[in-house]
Amino acid sequence: MKLEGSCHCGAVHFRVESHTPYPYMRCYCSICRKTAGGGGYAINIMGEAATLKVRGAKHVTAYQARLPAAGSTRRARSPARRHFCARCGSALWVADPRWPEWMYPFASAIDTPLPKPPEEVELMLAYAAPWAEIPSGPQHTHFSEYPEESIADWHGKRGLAVA
Ligand SMILES: [Zn+2]
């Protein structure tokens, strides 16, 4: 599936191929909340990095959060690069050199109509804002941090991978 995305001001447009376009994963971590998620969470999907084409790339800036390192009082720069438009601030996609074949567009940046997920995952709930309403019920699976199941496996097991 070909996905088209853009920022709000229109300086940046991008397109990418994705076999995993269901926006099912709501991340409640502080970085997603502060940088992209006014509802207390942000949603990333997954595309193939090699197919990414960007128009207006000079307006794209990346943010690398500093996170507390295990067993240390110092903060270390996260390898994950959260790309956003320097003109309007729209969150665009996350790229991480640990998984170079993928990139993770924010669902909010995608203009192509995405398929509606039949169920959802709420993750990083250990970091959720106390005011955030966390949906629950049979269609919702909760994780205090990251789930084991990858985005590709989630789509594959449910027969939702798209050609
Ligand atoms: Zn913009």
Side-chain angles (χ1 to χ4, degrees):
M1 180 175 183
K2 190 160 287 190
L3 301 181
E4 306 240 12
S6 62
C7 67
H8 192 264
C9 78
V12 182
H13 287 259
F14 64 96
R15 54 173 55 183
V16 69
E17 295 278 343
S18 174
H19 302 293
T20 52
Y22 279 79
Y24 73 94
M25 224 168 49
R26 300 179 175 205
C27 182
Y28 288 79
C29 84
S30 66
I31 316 169
C32 280
R33 176 169 71 251
K34 289 269 187 185
T35 65
Y41 62 92
I43 301 176
N44 284 101
I45 54 177
M46 189 171 84
E48 297 186 31
T51 67
L52 176 64
K53 299 251 186 321
V54 182
R55 190 150 53 83
K58 68 175 185 211
H59 300 294
V60 177
T61 303
Y63 170 60
Q64 287 172 271
R66 288 183 172 278
L67 302 171
S72 162
T73 53
R74 298 190 54 187
R75 287 172 170 256
R77 196 186 293 275
S78 164
R81 299 173 62 86
R82 311 172 83 89
H83 294 76
F84 64 97
C85 172
R87 275 180 39 176
C88 68
S90 301
L92 297 170
W93 67 85
V94 181
D96 193 316
R98 291 170 291 183
W99 297 281
E101 63 270 47
W102 310 114
M103 52 80 77
Y104 303 90
F106 288 97
S108 53
I110 299 297
D111 300 311
T112 305
L114 294 173
K116 201 168 150 60
E119 54 185 283
E120 283 168 350
V121 161
E122 280 78 28
L123 64 124
M124 299 298 259
L125 292 175
Y127 312 97
W131 50 261
E133 181 70 33
I134 316 291
S136 60
Q139 263 73 24
H140 298 274
T141 314
H142 291 177
F143 295 92
S144 66
E145 294 200 333
Y146 235 76
E148 292 275 308
E149 190 175 46
S150 72
I151 293 177
D153 287 345
W154 185 93
H155 283 76
K157 277 187 199 152
R158 290 159 183 81
L160 297 175
V162 172

